[in-house]
Amino acid sequence: MAVNLRRPILVGGIGLSFSLWLLQSFHDSAGTVGEFSVIGAIALGAGFWLFQKQTAKELHLPDVSQMDRETVEKAIAQTEGTISQLEAEAENHPANAPLREQLAKITTEIDRQEMHLAVTGGKSVGKSTLIQVLESNWVSQQPQKLGLQETPALFTAIDPTSPPPSRIGERSDLVLFLTNGDLTDPEYQTLQQLAASKQRAVLVLNKQDRYLPEERATVLQQLRQRMQGTLKGEDVVAIAASPTPIKVRQHQPDGSVREWMETPAPEMSAIAGRLSQILAQESQQLIWATAWRAAYALKADAKSALNEVRRDRALPVIEQYQWIAAATAFANPVPALDLLVTAAINGQLVMDLGNLYQQKFSLQQAQAIAGTMGSLMLKLGLVELTTQTVGGVLKSNAITFVAGGAVQGVSAAYLTRLAGLSLIEYFQAQEAATTSEGRPLNLDQLRETLQKVFQQNQRVAFLQGFVKQAVARLVPESPQPAIAGNEIASC
């Protein structure tokens, strides 16, 4: 495979590898170059660029009470930037038009006047009844237009197409979460996720009439204590949207007793009062917060599509470099230089993948990243595990195993592939880059990514197929080697 001479790390690294090999041929002392020397070289390379904490910004929605139009417009602008980047890199991508349409809709909804309320909760908690009562007695009294919508019951059979709990009422300005008593763990976790996503919510204890009068205050206080730090105390209220009929007994003048069942009026004062107060004080901020969440979700969709495009283009680049690494290590009979070869080739891989993900690393930065990844592979034991695993697979084939550099060549290809896939996963987890400025790496996150990718690519079937493919490139089958292999196997 031809090597582009404009790739200084790749050419320099391969040249250094073969220079050290030649040096060993003339000086036996060079044979003492071992793994610790390689680690030292890698560590020295890492010293060129200090990696500090991650600088990829995570967007956090401010408190609803502090939400303003400028924050929403900034979120929309960031989303527009990600969509524009997708359009620039994949002009005919099928998601381009739908994303643009959704962005335009979000932009117009900043100034909408109607409030959207979602009513959610588990099965048989009274969602439909609550909506009916509110629409008949409370909605018409409000100065603004309101829309109430019931969500599907939570905590039932899982529908793979349904959104996760954290996205309940994502396009709603306020969520009314109903429960019939003390919170179950799924209910509590769902409320925590809503709070984490900055979704404004009110916890409603329905059917309070089932409790004795002296028990109601206790149950309500327990709910407020459990949600302390998640919801304000006043955002936990108790109602009875459809009270249970009670038996009424009336003594008549003639001494007889008349009995009948009577349904009490709904007890809605707590929820009606709290909702009226929230709408009077926070309506505009709630609408802006909904627009912010919609923009953030849309940006995530655009980023996912952009990552898909970039990954499709990055995989062939990784494959190219893994075979370069394999050929170089296979031709080099100095086992201790495997990591140095891999690190050099990975440096050029960093630059090429960085270009695809809009991360224009300098030569010095790419060297440091490659060196750091090599050091992490050593510390995590990935190099040793890879060599052992590849060696075990190769033992099943005598001709490939006795080929001097087979283990080194396949291992170098495999480690290069791991490095490339790890960089893809790492870049995809960051904010979608729309500029060409390289960012420092988060070593902890990179370490976790390396471990994750290694585990995903340790399946026996995958390794056997990879080794077979690598050997086919390194040791092409021919009539004469086949005979020799048979003779060796028969000895």
Side-chain angles (χ1 to χ4, degrees), residues 72-394:
V72 181
E73 291 176 341
K74 181 178 179 181
I76 291 176
Q78 292 174 340
T79 303
E80 199 279 334
T82 304
I83 295 175
S84 296
Q85 190 66 35
L86 174 62
E87 292 171 337
E89 296 187 25
E91 183 178 356
N92 298 319
H93 196 283
N96 289 345
L99 289 171
R100 278 290 175 189
E101 292 174 2
Q102 294 179 56
L103 183 63
K105 183 178 179 181
I106 294 171
T107 304
T108 59
E109 287 187 350
I110 296 179
D111 298 314
R112 64 178 166 85
Q113 299 300 315
E114 180 180 3
M115 291 285 294
H116 300 158
L117 280 65
V119 180
T120 192
K123 189 176 181 180
S124 302
V125 293
K127 297 185 292 294
S128 300
T129 303
L130 175 60
I131 291 176
Q132 293 172 2
V133 175
L134 287 175
E135 289 178 339
S136 61
N137 299 319
W138 176 75
V139 171
S140 59
Q141 300 175 7
Q142 302 309 304
Q144 61 193 123
K145 188 175 180 181
L146 299 172
L148 283 80
Q149 181 177 7
E150 177 182 351
T151 71
L154 305 179
F155 322 120
T156 56
I158 299 177
D159 180 359
T161 62
S162 62
S166 59
R167 301 188 70 172
I168 294 171
E170 186 176 54
R171 295 299 181 96
S172 299
D173 307 311
L174 182 64
V175 172
L176 306 183
F177 191 99
L178 271 64
T179 184
N180 286 340
D182 193 15
L183 293 176
T184 64
D185 187 63
E187 288 177 326
Y188 177 76
Q189 294 299 330
T190 300
L191 285 165
Q192 291 292 319
Q193 292 181 49
L194 289 173
S197 63
K198 300 299 183 182
Q199 171 67 65
R200 190 74 163 84
V202 174
L203 176 58
V204 182
L205 170 62
N206 194 17
K207 305 181 181 181
Q208 68 165 347
D209 57 298
R210 295 183 177 182
Y211 297 93
L212 296 174
E214 59 271 19
E215 295 177 335
R216 297 178 183 179
T218 301
V219 174
L220 184 60
Q221 183 60 27
Q222 289 175 344
L223 287 175
R224 286 174 174 169
Q225 288 179 349
R226 190 169 185 190
M227 297 309 301
Q228 189 173 7
T230 302
L231 295 177
K232 299 177 181 178
E234 55 268 31
D235 286 336
V236 182
V237 299
I239 65 169
S242 179
T244 303
I246 59 175
K247 182 182 288 186
V248 178
R249 178 178 296 176
Q250 185 180 57
H251 293 272
Q252 302 298 321
D254 61 1
S256 63
V257 178
R258 179 171 172 252
E259 294 180 348
W260 69 92
M261 300 300 293
E262 184 175 292
T263 301
E267 300 176 30
M268 300 288 291
S269 59
I271 185 65
R274 184 55 183 153
L275 288 179
S276 296
Q277 185 179 23
I278 291 174
L279 296 181
Q281 297 175 355
E282 305 176 30
S283 289
Q284 186 61 75
Q285 285 74 23
L286 291 175
I287 291 174
W288 283 336
T290 301
W292 188 97
R293 285 192 302 274
Y296 184 70
L298 186 63
K299 185 176 73 169
D301 292 340
K303 178 186 174 184
S304 178
L306 182 58
N307 282 339
E308 181 182 352
V309 170
R310 290 173 171 176
R311 184 182 182 87
D312 289 342
R313 294 172 180 172
L315 290 177
V317 174
I318 295 174
E319 185 172 353
Q320 176 189 21
Y321 281 107
Q322 74 186 29
W323 300 135
I324 293 176
T328 305
F330 178 72
N332 181 0
V334 184
L337 297 180
D338 294 347
L339 290 177
L340 193 57
V341 173
T342 304
I345 294 173
N346 286 353
Q348 189 64 56
L349 177 61
V350 167
M351 294 189 72
D352 286 359
L353 291 182
N355 289 337
L356 286 174
Y357 283 86
Q358 298 297 311
Q359 298 289 309
K360 304 289 186 179
F361 297 112
S362 67
L363 173 62
Q364 191 178 60
Q365 289 172 331
Q367 288 174 326
I369 294 173
T372 299
M373 293 188 72
S375 179
L376 285 175
M377 286 182 178
L378 278 172
K379 292 177 181 178
L380 293 171
L382 305 187
V383 176
E384 182 178 0
L385 285 173
T386 295
T387 303
Q388 292 175 351
T389 304
V390 170
V393 175
L394 286 174

